[in-house]
Amino acid sequence: MSDSSSTEVLVALLRAQIAGLAVGERLPSSRDLIARHGVGPVTVSRAIAQLAAEGAVVTRPGSGTYVARRPRRADEAPDTSWQAVALSGRDHDPAADADETDGQSGALPPGVIALSGGYLHENLQPTRALGAALARAARRPDAWHRAPATGLAPLRAIFARQAGSGVSPEDVLVTGGGQGALSMLFRAVAVPGSPVLVESPTYPGALAAARAAGLRPVPVPMDDDGIRPDLLADAFAMTGARLLYCQPTFHNPTGTVLAPDRRRQVVDIARAAGAFVIEDDFARHLGHGGSVPRPLVADDRDGTVVHLTSLTKPASPSLRIGALIARGPVMRRLQGMRRVDDFFVARPLQEAAVELVSTPAWDRHLRALSAALRDRCATLADALERELPGWTPVRLPGGGLHLWLRLPAVPADAALAGTVLTDSAFADAARAQGVAVNAGRRYFPAEAPNTHVRLGFAAAADTAELTEAARRLAAAARSLGYSGG
């Protein structure tokens, strides 16, 4: 018998033997195979090599030959269970918070009205101005050159002017939107395992970013004037925290504006604790026509406030351009993290942002957006009052994209007396009626003191959809045994 035919016979015999063995079981040694089948060592070596090439066995020098994992059938579901061991040791899984931001996780089914999410409907976005700005930016001879790590000088100057006269372009670091900047900040400023103080309720994306950085969010209650300074001072003293995350202007989700007498007080309390204040100023361009207070960073001279802003909310979800404003060593640390994380923000997008906000079209867009948001906010609030009297929002905000609705505690159906209407149950009932809303529980870093839902008025197509959404929400309430009374 030739060597090749001997090898084929041995391969066939071994395949039959492997079929009856479990994954990881050891095959007989080469010496045993030679003795059992009456073949030479070359034949054994060739047979094992062929089976290894086919993926039937794995060889471990000095140990032996073992049955390999069987190839998966085309219709067989992937098995990723091995990753549980490889990923063990993480205190928190960032993927668990994948839905804890303001963006929709995907397109809503046809016919569902969007009162969830935190972006503008496409008919509120300055689409033509964005297209023209991007086209002009692309024609620049240096459009595809490497951008400075800190951002283009004209764009840094724009963000500095927006923040106030006390801020210079050297204090500005251009970022790829607000969420990435939050993640960078939490990793740069705080040590994993340490506490970070947050308003309660607060933006879920901030909670997700803090937890992904290994931080422990600690709630500080709010009232109608914003975060409570007395409880803030207590929280710093009890936790030893060195970081406060807050939204002083048109807070998400409540729409609260931090009262004038508290704005300096909050910064002073943080300064006395040796702590930073992250001021998330996402809604500066989302006012409804009234006055918008100066950002905290404008009156800060000691580097206590780290200011975060973005063009994403007032323009488009895909205009991922934002800025961090900071002074002192913390800025140098942030610049260092930029060089480690992603080097710089794409220059064409920065150039397009400069082109967009430097033209009269941007000012016209902001004026039109302000009027549209005011109209939508009033339309939804009025429709809720008609369809669900007694379910009034916590406040009618002077800016932002949302209403914060507290759910009633008393059902209309006497048979349901004593039951509690949960935010998740109402959100599910609303979805069944064709309206997507945000359950309020995820806005709280700890236990929620009351039951709320957040209703957005910017993602719907028009005011007619908002009116119809209120009607559907009333139907959802009735399906759970609650009326508007």
Side-chain angles (χ1 to χ4, degrees):
M1 185 182 292
S2 67
D3 288 342
S4 61
S5 60
S6 298
T7 301
E8 292 171 2
V9 171
L10 183 57
V11 166
L13 291 170
L14 290 176
R15 282 200 190 106
Q17 184 177 358
I18 289 168
L21 298 176
V23 173
E25 281 197 63
R26 189 175 183 273
L27 270 65
S29 67
S30 295
R31 181 178 298 176
D32 290 340
L33 292 174
I34 291 169
R36 182 181 304 177
H37 299 286
V39 295
V42 173
T43 299
V44 171
S45 295
R46 288 175 176 171
I48 295 299
Q50 181 174 333
L51 291 169
E54 293 173 359
V57 299
V58 292
T59 59
R60 300 171 186 166
S63 177
T65 303
Y66 298 83
V67 178
R69 185 180 297 275
R70 267 75 173 181
R72 187 185 304 118
R73 301 191 312 271
D75 60 345
E76 186 179 353
D79 179 13
T80 59
S81 57
W82 64 272
Q83 295 184 9
V85 177
L87 294 172
S88 62
R90 282 198 68 102
D91 292 332
H92 180 73
D93 176 12
D97 293 326
D99 293 330
E100 295 300 293
T101 60
D102 267 353
Q104 297 282 6
S105 58
L108 292 174
V112 175
I113 299 174
L115 299 190
S116 58
Y119 295 121
L120 302 177
H121 189 274
E122 60 185 22
N123 62 26
L124 293 179
Q125 298 172 21
T127 307
R128 292 181 61 183
L130 279 166
L134 191 59
R136 291 194 300 271
R139 290 194 295 269
R140 291 177 177 266
D142 56 354
W144 293 99
H145 291 184
R146 175 173 176 149
T150 54
L152 298 182
L155 188 55
R156 294 167 70 197
I158 288 169
F159 281 120
R161 287 197 301 272
Q162 175 183 302
S165 58
V167 177
S168 72
E170 288 69 33
D171 301 326
V172 178
L173 174 67
V174 175
T175 67
Q179 190 64 29
L182 260 182
S183 176
M184 181 193 299
L185 264 175
F186 286 136
R187 289 182 290 119
V189 175
V191 177
S194 62
V196 52
L197 306 186
V198 298
E199 297 155 319
S200 183
T202 191
Y203 167 48
L207 297 177
R211 289 169 178 148
L215 308 185
R216 178 168 51 88
V218 176
V220 181
M222 302 173 61
D223 60 20
D224 290 342
D225 291 324
I227 194 169
R228 288 181 51 181
D230 57 334
L231 297 181
L232 177 63
D234 290 344
F236 273 124
M238 288 188 295
T239 65
R242 293 294 177 265
L243 187 60
L244 164 67
Y245 168 81
C246 64
Q247 304 166 91
T249 304
F250 307 133
H251 172 268
N252 175 15
T254 68
T256 305
V257 175
L258 187 61
D261 61 321
R262 292 188 182 184
R263 299 178 82 84
R264 184 68 241 178
Q265 196 175 356
V266 165
V267 176
D268 288 343
I269 290 170
R271 178 72 180 88
F276 289 100
V277 174
I278 296 178
E279 177 188 22
D280 189 344
D281 200 27
F282 77 98
R284 179 142 301 271
H285 296 305
L286 302 177
H288 297 174
S291 61
V292 180
R294 285 161 56 89
L296 301 183
V297 74
D299 300 311
D300 173 49
R301 295 294 180 268
D302 301 319
T304 300
V305 178
V306 179
H307 180 85
L308 168 62
T309 188
S310 170
L311 296 176
T312 303
K313 294 291 187 184
S316 164
S318 287
L319 187 62
R320 307 303 300 173
I321 293 291
L324 289 172
I325 297 174
R327 301 181 180 92
V330 68
M331 173 55 87
R332 292 190 289 275
R333 180 173 292 190
L334 290 168
Q335 291 171 352
M337 292 195 71
R338 156 54 47 75
R339 294 182 177 93
V340 171
D341 283 356
D342 54 8
F343 297 118
F344 55 88
V345 176
R347 184 165 190 144
L349 204 56
Q350 291 193 63
E351 297 280 12
V354 172
E355 290 285 349
L356 175 68
V357 302
S358 300
T359 64
W362 177 245
D363 291 332
R364 289 195 298 271
H365 163 67
L366 292 182
R367 288 194 297 271
L369 178 61
S370 174
L373 293 178
R374 181 175 63 249
D375 186 31
R376 284 164 169 256
C377 180
T379 296
L380 182 57
D382 290 345
L384 289 172
E385 187 175 1
R386 286 195 307 273
E387 301 289 346
L388 285 165
W391 290 47
T392 55
V394 172
R395 68 178 43 78
L396 195 65
L401 308 174
H402 317 101
L403 293 177
W404 185 236
L405 185 69
R406 181 172 176 177
L407 302 185
V410 181
D413 188 342
L416 297 175
T419 62
V420 176
L421 178 59
T422 66
D423 54 353
S424 57
F426 184 70
D428 290 343
R431 178 62 73 101
Q433 295 292 335
V435 185
V437 304
N438 294 120
R441 187 175 307 274
R442 68 194 187 99
Y443 294 83
F444 292 90
E447 293 79 11
N450 297 295
T451 307
H452 298 81
V453 292
R454 193 190 70 168
L455 308 178
F457 46 78
D462 50 34
T463 54
E465 274 201 352
L466 295 174
T467 301
E468 171 62 16
R471 188 192 67 76
R472 296 183 187 183
L473 291 178
R478 289 192 296 271
S479 73
L480 296 171
Y482 284 75
S483 70

